[in-house]
């Protein structure tokens, strides 16, 4: 599974809703070395691990179809003083999806399943709600391209803490039906969804009559020569499995079972995944065995069903393989992140090279990004890097693309409000060229036209951005890339600024009651508050603010135990409920207190704070955060 960045979400939730400050200035990007030799690359990678406090890495480089180097850097297990080697096994998270897609494609080539069939026809027992089913049904291919419109997994669907490790997949979907409620017409937007690949794994079982991992082992892993790598913890891979770490300094993280096993439970070594990279470079062939056809591999590498692809954008998420633009080349592959591990494999078929990077720490996504960049710089150094030529478009054509674009394809629906508040893009026409920037300014990045609606940046080899009009007449902006703005609609820029301004004002007012409380406490200690009447007018808004602080603090602590009823998850639920109750009560008290029985300044301040709390409560209610149950399906 790709990491959800839940700790980042918790911190952002706290900073956004409690003490909204100004925009954070962008960090200066560090210049990485340009390694020319294998020794220089190994040293640069070692420096990246040390700088980012990552214990160890498994790395494999493939050039001209052959393994150039496979080895380890650092520690697989700090306590045991065990070094990483080429054969050290890592949990590879969402890299697992590649094997699931290959298995379904193998079944399709054998004529046993049709990826363009309706999911409801093939597996009607899988609970899916789709109000567009008559005109836009969910098809199997949509699961693999993340274009079904599903939400990502619910908190309780993340870690399996109470059921057998091999709980039937269908039971998981039946107990957690929420993510399978389609949010927009299928095939229109990309939105990453682990449950979609859980269902894909179930379809392997339904079609083959075998557990999905057994079918993958017999039909994909064994032909590739992957003998120890597996979705299950086995006798063969247990002793070689690295320890996962988090925090800084590194803290060992216990192995946790997950429910959506097809989406992220694979274990593999750098050496084993190098065989997968070679398989893709050889277009579906290993040794003398053609596992899948070359045209099947080509289909995996680019999206087909989403609207951006239908409007000319070649890049994006295909069938468990997505494109990335780094170092002036287009690469294919997949990343993964799970419980103490992050990973990546990528390859470039036109230049016949690829690589694998596996890290046993989730403390720094930057480390993986820099390791990837170093590998690409090294492997592509001797190849030309052509760029698609820029064309000239008149200012009148470019002007129609200018405006504010709001995100409309959230991965996690619960946190859509954060994207809606902060993640929009402003496109401007400046000196005859289009530029884009975030809501808070910063560098205006120029995007260059290479078609009537297709654009690339100066460093990119081909377009990564497309503009088009949807069926409802909305102008849509799509930026490819797994972490890009997957789908955004043109709208008014007034709305996000107005909401942010209102929330900022409310947070200042709410914070002020903490300052006043400190003053009241001193006066109380000095005995000067004995005859003060209507203390509840001051105290209830304070209790509302403290309840919200408790809820956000509880959320930051609960992220490590998602799906479990404990002190922290109960604090989130109770804190948000009490915040709403105290907010409304504070406003009622401030309005009802007789004017001649309280100092007008105190009454006015209490009224403003209570009103601010009620406004934030209204936002919370619209975002479904009041009484949030982190343990619920």
């Amino acid at each position: 599974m790709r990491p959800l960045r839940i700790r980042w979400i918790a911190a952002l939730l706290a900073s956004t809703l409690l003490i909204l400050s100004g925009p954070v200035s962008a960090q200066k990007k560090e210049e990485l070395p340009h390694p020319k030799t294998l020794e220089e690359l190994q040293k640069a990678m070692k420096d990246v691990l040390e700088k980012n406090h990552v214990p160890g890495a498994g790395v494999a480089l493939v050039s001209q179809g052959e393994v150039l180097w496979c080895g380890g850097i650092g520690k697989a297990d700090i306590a045991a003083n065990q070094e990483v080697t080429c054969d050290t096994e890592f949990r590879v998270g969402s890299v697992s999806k590649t094997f699931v897609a290959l298995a379904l494609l193998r079944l399709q080539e054998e004529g046993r399943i049709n990826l363009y069939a309706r999911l409801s026809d093939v597996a009607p027992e899988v609970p899916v709600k789709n109000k567009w089913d008559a005109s836009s049904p969910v098809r199997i291919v949509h699961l693999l391209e993340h274009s079904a419109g599903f939400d990502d997994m619910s908190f309780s669907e993340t870690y399996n803490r109470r059921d057998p490790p091999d709980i039937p997949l269908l039971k998981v979907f039946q107990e957690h039906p929420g993510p399978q409620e389609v949010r927009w017409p299928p095939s229109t937007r990309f939105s990453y969804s682990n449950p979609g690949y859980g269902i894909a794994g179930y379809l392997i079982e339904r079609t083959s009559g075998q557990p999905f991992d057994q079918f993958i082992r017999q039909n994909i892993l064994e032909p590739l020569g992957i003998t120890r790598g597996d979705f299950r913890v086995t006798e063969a891979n247990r002793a070689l499995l690295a320890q996962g770490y988090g925090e800084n300094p590194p803290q060992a993280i216990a192995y946790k079972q997950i429910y959506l096993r097809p989406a992220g439970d694979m274990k593999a070594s750098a050496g084993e995944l190098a065989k997968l990279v070679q398989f893709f470079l050889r277009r579906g062939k290993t040794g003398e065995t053609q596992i899948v056809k070359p045209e099947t591999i080509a289909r995996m590498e680019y999206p087909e069903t989403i609207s951006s692809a239908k409007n000319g954008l070649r890049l994006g998420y295909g069938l468990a393989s997505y494109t990335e633009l780094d170092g002036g080349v287009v690469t294919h592959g997949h990343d993964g992140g799970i419980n103490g591990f992050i990973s990546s494999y990528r390859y470039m078929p036109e230049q016949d090279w690829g690589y694998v990077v596996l890290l046993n720490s989730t403390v720094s996504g930057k480390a993986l990004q820099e390791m990837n960049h170093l590998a690409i710089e090294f492997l592509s150094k001797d190849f030309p890097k052509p760029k698609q030529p820029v064309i000239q478009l008149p200012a009148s054509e470019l002007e129609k693309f200018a405006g504010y674009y709001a995100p409309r394809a959230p991965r996690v629906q619960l946190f859509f409000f954060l994207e809606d508040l902060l993640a929009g893009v402003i496109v401007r026409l400046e000196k005859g060229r289009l530029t884009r920037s975030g809501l808070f300014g910063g560098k205006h990045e120029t995007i260059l036209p290479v078609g009537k609606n297709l654009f690339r940046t100066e460093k990119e080899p081909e377009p990564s951005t497309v503009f088009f009009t949807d069926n409802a007449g909305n102008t849509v902006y799509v930026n490819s890339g797994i972490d890009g703005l997957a789908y955004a609609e043109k709208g008014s820029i007034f709305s996000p600024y107005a909401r942010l301004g209102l929330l900022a004002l409310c947070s200042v007012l709410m914070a002020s009651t903490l300052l006043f409380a400190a003053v009241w406490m001193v006066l109380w200690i000095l005995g000067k508050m004995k005859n003060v009447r209507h203390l509840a007018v001051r105290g209830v808004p304070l209790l509302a603010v403290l309840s919200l602080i408790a809820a956000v603090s509880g959320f930051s602590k609960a992220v490590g135990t998602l799906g479990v009823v404990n002190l922290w998850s109960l604090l989130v639920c109770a804190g948000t409920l009490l915040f709403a109750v105290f907010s409304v009560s504070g406003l009622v008290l401030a309005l009802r207190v007789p004017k001649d029985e309280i100092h007008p300044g105190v009454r006015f301040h209490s009224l403003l704070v209570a009103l601010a709390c009620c406004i934030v409560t209204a936002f919370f209610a619209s975002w479904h955060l009041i009484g949030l149950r982190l343990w619920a399906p």
Side-chain angles (χ1 to χ4, degrees):
M1 303 177 192
R2 281 186 70 82
L4 280 174
R5 299 182 177 88
I6 294 173
R7 292 191 184 277
W8 172 83
I9 289 170
L12 190 56
L13 182 66
S15 61
T16 301
L17 300 178
L18 286 183
I19 312 173
L20 274 168
S21 57
V24 178
S25 59
Q27 293 182 340
K28 184 177 180 180
K29 188 175 180 180
E30 295 180 32
E31 184 68 25
L32 291 171
H34 302 278
K36 302 299 182 184
T37 66
L38 183 57
E39 291 73 20
E40 289 177 357
L41 175 66
Q42 291 168 337
K43 181 183 182 305
M45 287 185 163
K46 184 173 184 292
D47 290 343
V48 167
L49 296 188
E50 291 177 352
K51 178 181 66 177
N52 291 283
H53 309 286
V54 175
V59 182
L61 305 176
V62 176
S63 180
Q64 298 181 357
E66 300 299 326
V67 177
L68 178 65
W69 173 66
C70 181
I73 304 171
K75 301 294 183 180
D77 190 317
I78 296 173
N81 196 30
Q82 182 180 344
E83 302 287 331
V84 179
T85 71
C86 177
D87 297 321
T88 299
E89 298 278 309
F90 292 72
R91 298 188 80 178
V92 297
S94 282
V95 170
S96 310
K97 294 178 173 66
T98 299
F99 297 100
V100 170
L102 281 169
L104 280 174
L105 287 162
R106 176 75 178 264
L107 287 168
Q108 178 170 258
E109 286 190 2
E110 293 173 357
R112 300 165 70 182
I113 197 170
N114 178 5
L115 297 190
Y116 292 86
R118 295 162 58 109
L119 176 61
S120 58
D121 291 339
V122 176
E125 66 275 15
V126 175
V128 174
K129 291 183 180 179
N130 177 17
K131 64 181 180 181
W132 298 277
D133 188 61
S135 58
S136 298
V138 174
R139 301 185 186 277
I140 298 171
V141 68
H142 298 153
L143 306 177
L144 302 184
E145 285 197 1
H146 297 294
S147 60
F150 290 171
D151 197 357
D152 207 350
M153 54 195 171
S154 59
F155 291 136
S156 60
E157 196 178 13
T158 305
Y159 295 119
N160 178 1
R161 304 175 189 276
R162 57 184 178 83
D163 292 305
D166 58 349
I167 177 177
L169 291 169
L170 181 59
K171 185 177 180 182
V172 175
F173 313 139
Q174 290 171 338
E175 292 183 353
H176 302 85
Q180 291 92 248
E181 184 168 348
V182 178
R183 296 173 289 169
W184 45 75
S187 84
T188 56
R189 313 175 195 185
F190 166 84
S191 183
Y192 199 91
S193 171
N194 284 291
Y197 267 83
I199 295 173
Y202 170 71
L203 294 175
I204 295 172
E205 297 185 343
R206 198 180 195 281
T207 304
S208 69
Q210 299 176 270
F212 80 92
D213 54 322
Q214 182 179 330
F215 181 86
I216 290 173
R217 185 166 55 252
Q218 293 175 358
N219 294 274
I220 306 296
L221 300 181
E222 289 178 3
L224 282 175
I226 297 176
T227 57
R228 290 183 295 268
D230 207 311
F231 281 80
R232 299 174 187 252
V233 176
T234 65
E235 291 300 322
N237 62 33
R238 181 181 285 108
L240 293 170
L241 186 60
Q243 171 64 55
Y245 293 91
E247 305 301 333
N248 181 30
Q251 300 292 320
I253 296 177
Y255 189 104
K256 296 177 184 175
Q257 303 286 347
I258 62 173
Y259 278 117
L260 297 171
R261 305 185 299 281
D265 215 12
M266 181 71 181
K267 273 70 68 176
S269 67
E272 290 172 325
L273 290 184
K275 296 177 181 179
L276 177 68
V277 168
Q278 291 175 298
F279 162 79
F280 282 121
L281 292 174
R282 294 168 183 168
R283 315 316 282 162
K285 193 173 184 179
T286 178
E288 298 301 317
T289 304
Q290 191 78 44
I291 298 178
V292 295
K293 299 175 182 177
E295 53 266 33
T296 296
I297 300 299
R299 171 64 186 91
M300 290 183 72
E301 293 171 342
Y302 297 99
E304 180 185 281
T305 67
I306 55 176
S307 52
S308 58
K310 294 173 183 176
N311 282 277
L313 187 63
R314 190 170 79 116
L315 305 181
Y317 194 106
L319 306 179
S321 176
Y322 60 86
T323 56
E324 278 196 352
L325 299 174
D326 189 7
V329 296
V330 178
T331 60
H332 307 272
H334 213 293
D335 291 355
I338 184 172
N339 205 38
F341 298 88
I342 50 178
S343 55
S344 180
Y345 81 87
R346 305 213 64 77
Y347 65 95
M348 209 288 187
E350 290 80 6
Q351 297 177 2
D352 201 16
W353 55 257
Y355 67 89
V356 178
V357 175
L358 309 176
L359 306 182
N360 62 341
S361 171
T362 50
V363 74
S364 175
K366 182 182 177 184
L368 182 64
Q369 181 183 9
E370 292 185 349
M371 296 278 278
N372 284 347
H373 184 80
L374 288 169
I376 291 170
E377 280 280 300
F378 175 74
L379 292 166
S380 66
K381 65 183 185 301
D382 297 324
F383 293 94
K385 298 178 181 179
K387 297 177 182 177
Q388 195 165 333
V390 175
I391 66 171
Q392 297 299 317
L393 290 180
S396 58
E397 286 292 309
L398 295 173
E399 180 65 37
K400 65 184 182 182
F401 300 131
Y404 167 70
Y405 292 85
R408 289 295 178 265
R411 172 176 171 176
V412 181
Q413 192 64 40
L414 179 63
F415 296 113
F416 171 55
F417 70 93
L418 288 175
E419 289 186 37
D420 201 28
L421 283 171
L422 304 172
V425 166
I426 301 172
V427 178
R428 299 177 176 87
L429 180 60
E430 299 178 340
K431 298 180 181 180
R433 288 187 168 187
L434 285 186
T435 66
R436 64 185 174 200
S437 65
L439 279 172
F440 304 112
K443 181 181 178 182
H444 290 197
E445 183 181 40
T446 299
I447 52 175
L448 306 170
V450 293
K452 288 188 175 181
N453 65 329
L454 295 167
F455 294 79
R456 67 170 176 85
T457 66
E458 184 63 45
K459 295 182 179 181
E460 291 174 342
E462 65 176 274
S464 61
T465 298
V466 64
F467 297 89
F468 58 91
T469 302
D470 67 10
N471 293 334
N474 301 307
T475 302
V476 174
Y477 164 100
V478 171
N479 178 252
S480 69
I482 198 70
D483 292 316
L485 194 55
Y487 190 97
E489 293 178 355
K490 196 172 185 178
S492 169
I493 198 170
F494 172 77
S495 178
Y497 282 139
R499 284 177 293 166
L500 283 168
L502 182 58
L503 283 168
L505 177 60
C506 289
S507 62
V508 169
L509 288 168
M510 291 164 64
S512 73
T513 198
L514 299 174
L515 298 176
F516 277 99
V519 175
W520 300 335
M521 185 63 66
V522 173
L523 294 175
W524 181 273
I525 293 172
L526 296 175
K528 296 184 178 182
M529 296 283 287
K530 292 181 179 179
N531 298 321
V532 176
R533 303 171 67 185
H534 304 292
L535 286 177
V537 175
R538 310 174 194 228
V540 172
L542 174 62
L543 291 174
V545 174
L546 293 175
S547 297
L548 182 56
I549 292 174
V552 175
S553 299
F555 186 88
S556 68
K557 298 290 186 180
V559 293
T561 56
L562 292 175
V564 175
V565 179
N566 58 22
L567 174 63
W568 305 117
S569 59
L570 288 172
L571 186 60
V572 173
C573 182
T576 53
L577 285 169
L578 288 173
F579 171 67
V581 171
F582 286 138
S583 296
V584 175
S585 300
L587 183 60
V588 171
L589 287 171
L591 289 172
R592 294 182 62 181
V593 66
K595 295 181 181 180
D596 58 347
E597 296 182 7
I598 190 171
H599 189 282
V602 173
R603 180 179 183 275
F604 183 66
H605 176 257
S606 298
L607 185 61
L608 286 179
V609 172
L611 183 60
C613 290
C614 286
I615 290 171
V616 174
T617 296
F619 275 108
F620 267 52
S622 68
W623 298 334
H624 308 287
L625 297 178
I626 301 298
L628 179 62
R629 297 178 300 154
L630 296 175
W631 62 86

